[in-house]
Amino acid sequence: MEIKSIGIVGAGQMGNGIAHVMALAGYDVILNDINREALDNAMELMTANMDRQVSREKITAEAQQKALARITTTTTLTDLGKADLIIEAATERETVKQAIFDELMPHLQPHTILTSNTSSISITRLASRTDRPEKFMGFHFMNPVPVMQLVELIRGIATDEETFSACKDVVDRLEKTAASAEDFPAFIVNRILMPMINEAVYTLYEGVGSVKSIDSSMKLGANHPMGPLELADFIGLDTCLAIMNVLHDGLADTKYRPCPLLTKYVEAGWLGRKTNRGFYDYRGETPVPTR
């Protein structure tokens, strides 16, 4: 099947990034959020990000104008029912995602493909709650979406080949690279990345190194563009903890036990850049380590 229109649930960091790349690729986009202010902010952010792309000659001003014109916003979730493909990019809580799919189902077209941008939750389990498990899969973008080149495509146990092929065609049209992942906790990227971040937090917790020395060591000693604690702040410490809990619960292996210090930071509400404090304090001109 040919996908022409795409519905996106959630206008946050991931949702607006997905809308941005889909519209530039020529898809008609319907962006939904329960909060009108979030939708307005998403449109402003997309405009600013495309302005930057125009200034760097990545896209033309005409391409920007056409892309923004392809995006419509709505606070009514069921308006997305007419889309050929729906990408859920709401908060990383399974109950929230299930409620979204429950509300959408009576309004979908028979051919509509349902997908989730979840970074760790079981696709098979999410799909089993819908009326179309064969037309359900994981569509996991990396953050920031306009910059990152990888998309993980995750089949649930019931996902059919036509659904996978249709989603793979979308990734190809975006000029990104698809990595096919099996439906096991945290898939590929986060299965490898999150334990590394968690181990960096343990290294800090045990006093092996400071925030600065840990990040400097990985940047200069392993050629990572960003230190693991700096990266955790960028991702969001609550998201890191949620994924570690999914790994720990889903694989029942103590090597995935979340570091108590990571839990403590989340309990304090120090979630990283989005709250201006995490392993670094971002309230001044220059980030300052908090430990």
Side-chain angles (χ1 to χ4, degrees), residues 214-229:
I214 291 166
D215 278 351
S216 295
S217 294
M218 293 308 291
K219 284 193 281 190
L220 301 177
N223 206 27
H224 289 193
M226 195 182 288
L229 301 175

Side-chain angles (χ1 to χ4, degrees), residues 21-164:
V21 298
M22 292 296 184
L24 277 176
Y27 292 105
D28 294 324
V29 175
I30 312 169
L31 180 61
N32 161 261
D33 200 283
I34 55 173
N35 188 329
R36 169 49 63 184
E37 187 180 357
L39 290 168
D40 293 340
N41 289 342
M43 290 305 299
E44 285 179 18
L45 185 58
M46 279 186 273
T47 302
N49 287 340
M50 287 187 199
D51 283 342
R52 197 175 299 114
Q53 287 179 298
V54 171
S55 70
R56 293 175 180 172
E57 299 184 347
K58 301 282 188 185
I59 62 171
T60 64
E62 183 184 9
Q64 176 187 19
Q65 190 177 5
K66 287 181 177 177
L68 291 171
R70 291 187 192 104
I71 304 169
T72 57
T73 61
T74 179
T75 55
T76 305
L77 179 63
T78 53
D79 287 348
L80 273 58
K82 58 190 176 186
D84 300 320
L85 167 67
I86 293 175
I87 302 172
E88 172 274 313
T91 188
E92 191 70 350
R93 292 212 310 272
E94 190 164 347
T95 52
V96 172
K97 295 179 186 298
Q98 286 174 345
I100 287 165
F101 293 128
D102 287 346
E103 188 176 343
L104 275 171
M105 270 188 295
H107 305 275
L108 301 176
Q109 298 181 87
H111 70 268
T112 299
I113 293 173
L114 284 177
T115 69
S116 176
N117 184 59
T118 179
S119 54
S120 61
I121 296 169
S122 168
I123 298 302
T124 298
R125 194 165 62 239
L126 287 173
S128 71
R129 292 283 302 266
T130 73
D131 61 353
R132 59 193 69 208
E134 72 287 347
K135 291 188 180 298
F136 192 109
M137 66 181 296
F139 209 134
H140 181 216
F141 288 84
M142 306 295 130
N143 184 36
V145 179
V147 175
M148 301 297 278
Q149 290 301 301
L150 186 77
V151 180
E152 285 182 318
L153 293 180
I154 306 104
R155 290 180 176 91
I157 197 168
T159 306
D160 63 27
E161 191 56 40
E162 184 185 18
T163 299
F164 180 85

